[in-house]
Amino acid sequence: MSVIVSFEEYSFKYSGTTFYALRNINLDIYRGDFILLTGPSGCGKSTLLRSINGLIPHFYEGEYTGRVIVMGHEVSKSSTYELSRYVGMVFQDPENQLFSSTVEREIAFGLENLGLSKEEMRRRVDNVLQILKIENLRHKSPYELSGGQQQKVAIASIMVMEPEILILDEPTANLDPLSALELFELLARLNREMNITIVIVEHRLELITSFINRVLLMDRGRIVADGAPEEVFLERTSKLLGIGVPKVINVYLQLRNRGIEMDRPPRKPEELAVQVRRLLQRRSSK
Amino acid sequence: MRVIEVEDLYFSYNGRTEVLRGIDLTVEKGEVVAIMGENGAGKTTLIKHFNGILKPTKGSVRVLGMNTKTVPVSKLARHVGLIFQNPDHQLFAETVEEEIAFALKNLGFDDDYINERVNWALKFMKLEKYRKSSPFTLSGGEKKRLAIASILAYDPDIIIFDEPTIGQEYLHKQRLADFIKYLASKGKTVIVVTHDVEFVAENFSRTVVMANGKIVADGATREVLTDPEITKRARLIPPQPTQCALLLKDLGVPERVLLDSELVQSIVSLLKHSMIT
Ligand SMILES: Nc1ncnc2c1ncn2[C@@H]1O[C@H](COP(=O)(O)OP(=O)(O)OP(=O)(O)O)[C@@H](O)[C@H]1O
Ligand SMILES: Nc1ncnc2c1ncn2[C@@H]1O[C@H](COP(=O)(O)OP(=O)(O)OP(=O)(O)O)[C@@H](O)[C@H]1O
Ligand SMILES: [Mg+2]
Ligand SMILES: [Mg+2]
């Protein structure tokens, strides 16, 4: 597997603050990873993402040591424009990302700098409107949309650029549960079929867990756990940091405490149900 | 006592399409109510009627007996605190502590009381270390907590949260839930708009579901969230324990399971039973 993003002894402090928001980060992200980045509010998740697409250090002032390398380019030495060819970022606050007069123009905006033909632009815009199920919003003003609708438009305007690395900062915060699930399914498809690398900050652990291959857990500027979801969620640190774990994992743990051991921790309700049936069969065949 | 009475409410932003289409809703003093439903259903539009920033196109909204169409917003604001979905719409002060003090000052409280409330709110929302920071340098979750803090600080009778769990990990959600229960026990009325199914399952006894400008369900959370018809229609996904219980229905697991502890109970008794037979 090839490394696509790497952090080397990287630390960052926003100017005007007294503490480092990121401390000694050493991290390799591999092409094709689908990573959940989680941790308590204020631990540095958004700061880490901004350090990948170059908003840090180019827009946010501060001090840094170490370096971040994205597809061979050192972030501090590359312009955000250059980086935007590889990295697309969906912001935590969708409204700040929107500025055009119609949804359609909003989505087409970034494409205008890519030198694509008119037909190709139209094809891509139509395609994202369709896959995000927002064709009906095409001619609306982004400011006259509900919170969730705005979020979908912000996501569309990044996806349309077809970046190789997609970083998303709580993209489902305002989405209804089914829309959130549909977005995760869509991301999983991009990840599987086009080998797009994805890093997502997400609090809806119950919905995202079955799609990811890796969890990074942060606390006060550091990465404190890095591994497969079950591994990280079963570690005590998750409990201690209060991030919560998916309910099916909770059920697994509570059963284990009562001496009922399943083969492996489930990632979703279907898996939990299968395991319960297996337990029953085993008991009745004894 | 009825604190919110909505009668046949219609609302349109542009005079053409109606985004609320005949809402009837009453909320009693001391109640805690969750409002859920798909994107664009009209949840935010509805609650903006409760503090008078939006006025009915047709029908009426009465809050503590006052008709929101005739009573000034400033008068309603004293009684109704609304925490916006997007904190950037709410935050504007230079520092975090000024943000929290703002409404208290406006309402004419004395300095000692203001100080006490600001300190309490900073502590409760775990924002003490940002007292002198600009609200715009806070992280997403911190901004949301500041928006909540600045409303809770002045202690309104009716508190309305639009998506309070955004950007909050489990621990913060739990603290918020506990506090909401405490508020209700003191006779406050709390309305929470949220997409967070598990937050609702664990903490709210009444759930209202909206779709397409209408209320499509209003009842006990257990009945609402375990009803596949309703959840499907409103684009909700039932809590994981509920989903799992449904999958094990044929084995005799009860249908209306809501919480993980309930699911654990029924799995344990299922296994015990199978040992005996
Ligand atoms: N300022 C506005 N001008 C015109 N239309 C609007 C405006 N705000 C919202 N709408 C429309 O009104 C409908 C209801 O929006 P509302 O914000 O109440 O939905 P919501 O249930 O809060 O959705 P979400 O879960 O996405 O926040 C949507 O179709 C939306 O596009
Ligand atoms: N522009 C800024 N200027 C100064 N400090 C900042 C700025 N942005 C973030 N911070 C601070 O840096 C720390 C990390 O913030 P960051 O936004 O990365 O957290 P986060 O993990 O994304 O939190 P959340 O889950 O609440 O969004 C916090 O203490 C925050 O207050
Ligand atoms: Mg953040
Ligand atoms: Mg809304």
Side-chain angles (χ1 to χ4, degrees), chain A residues 12-17 19-22 37-50 56 60-61 92 169-170 201 203 218 221, chain B residues 127 129-130 133-134 136-145 166-169 172:
Chain A
F12 179 79
K13 180 164 92 70
Y14 289 98
S15 62
T17 64
F19 54 92
Y20 274 82
L22 294 178
L37 178 59
T38 184
S41 171
C43 70
K45 303 180 294 295
S46 299
T47 307
L48 189 98
L49 296 188
R50 288 175 190 145
I56 292 177
Y60 289 90
E61 285 174 21
Q92 190 162 11
D169 201 348
E170 273 199 69
V201 174
H203 287 289
M218 289 184 70
Chain B
L127 293 168
K129 73 169 172 173
Y130 303 115
S133 304
S134 155
F136 296 98
T137 65
L138 298 182
S139 79
E142 289 161 353
K143 273 188 201 168
K144 193 80 205 188
R145 295 210 299 284
I166 288 183
Q168 309 304 325
E169 71 275 11
H172 280 298

Side-chain angles (χ1 to χ4, degrees), chain B residues 72-87:
Chain B
V73 174
S74 59
K75 183 155 184 217
L76 284 168
R78 188 174 282 267
H79 303 284
V80 186
L82 192 155
I83 294 133
F84 284 77
Q85 185 165 4
N86 183 345

